[in-house]
Amino acid sequence: MPSRDGPPDAFGSPYRLLSTAVTPRPIGWISSRSEAGVDNLAPYSFFNVVAVDPPVVMFAPVGSGELKDTPRNVRETEQFVVNTVTRDLVEEMNATSATLGPSESEFDAVGIERAASVAVDPPRVAAAKVAFECELYDWIEVGGSVLILGEVVHAHVDESVLTDGLVDIENLDTVGRLSGSQYASTAERFSIDRPS
Ligand SMILES: Cc1cc2nc3c(=O)[nH]c(=O)nc-3n(C[C@H](O)[C@H](O)[C@H](O)COP(=O)(O)O)c2cc1C
């Protein structure tokens, strides 16, 4: 089959190439609190698990210029919460991606109910089925972007997604981000056995 080769910017832009081919991406819906006490909430799909011992997750605000509110808050307070995005929350999640000033809270602007966290100051999204309270583990600058690593110090899991005390994927319709404004539901599933 013929293929086309080239540097990453030969395919529109590195962002276009990477964000379309690396799909579906999980979405970390990150709540943070500014030093001034404003609760911020924004989705980040450059998001994943990095380690399990210690349990560490990462997300990456991209772009050059001024820091977005989330990384600025995390740099100031060294805390954040990752809320999972399920199909029922996707409209609210999307609404929180609007660019608001640092003195405005997406929780209030979008009408999202907060729930108090246990181990960190920023609140979690009350309706999120799973939320991870994180302490900043590391902050790595990559060009104009930042790779933010957070150690999960406390987890909140809604009873409705548990089976025998474990999170059950059958009960958790997490959403993945595709390209641009396209998303994938994870409700359609299949299994294959791993080789031994
Ligand atoms: C589903 C989704 C995923 C996103 N993922 C990222 C991301 O990984 N990195 C990023 O810098 N911006 C991402 N954005 C854009 C930010 O959410 C947007 O810039 C937001 O205004 C940042 O808010 P903040 O300044 O309150 O942190 C995403 C937007 C959406 C809708």
Side-chain angles (χ1 to χ4, degrees):
M1 248 212 305
S3 66
R4 196 180 296 182
D5 300 273
D9 58 3
F11 300 89
S13 66
Y15 175 80
R16 177 71 173 73
L17 173 67
L18 293 169
S19 68
T20 307
V22 182
T23 46
R25 287 187 306 285
I27 302 168
W29 200 12
I30 312 290
S31 36
S32 60
R33 180 172 279 173
S34 72
E35 258 179 353
V38 179
D39 294 332
N40 195 88
L41 183 61
Y44 284 85
S45 68
F46 289 13
F47 164 73
N48 222 307
V49 176
V50 173
V52 292
D53 184 17
V56 171
V57 294
M58 56 85 32
F59 71 99
V62 295
S64 46
E66 258 188 31
L67 277 184
K68 295 185 178 187
D69 291 344
T70 303
R72 207 198 44 255
N73 292 347
V74 171
R75 195 175 58 184
E76 286 173 2
T77 66
E78 305 201 340
Q79 295 185 334
F80 60 94
V81 179
V82 176
N83 303 277
T84 54
V85 179
T86 42
R87 185 68 188 83
D88 52 321
L89 295 174
V90 80
E91 301 289 343
E92 286 95 326
M93 175 282 295
N94 187 43
T96 64
S97 72
T99 307
L100 300 186
S103 60
E104 276 181 286
S105 171
E106 291 81 2
F107 278 99
D108 302 325
V110 179
I112 293 172
E113 192 187 338
R114 298 163 169 83
S117 292
V118 172
V120 299
D121 285 336
R124 62 182 169 85
V125 172
K129 301 290 191 303
V130 181
F132 301 128
E133 300 181 18
C134 297
E135 297 274 3
L136 181 64
Y137 184 85
D138 208 346
W139 168 289
I140 299 166
E141 287 177 15
V142 183
S145 303
V146 193
L147 173 57
I148 295 175
L149 306 180
E151 180 169 354
V152 178
V153 293
H154 190 86
H156 170 89
V157 181
D158 195 275
E159 284 286 347
S160 67
V161 302
L162 293 172
T163 300
D164 298 333
L166 300 176
V167 176
D168 188 343
I169 193 63
E170 295 302 327
N171 302 330
L172 198 65
D173 184 9
T174 39
V175 166
R177 189 181 191 193
L178 302 177
S179 188
S181 55
Q182 287 190 293
Y183 295 87
S185 156
T186 58
E188 192 186 319
R189 293 167 186 152
F190 62 92
S191 301
I192 53 169
D193 293 331
R194 275 177 68 163
S196 48

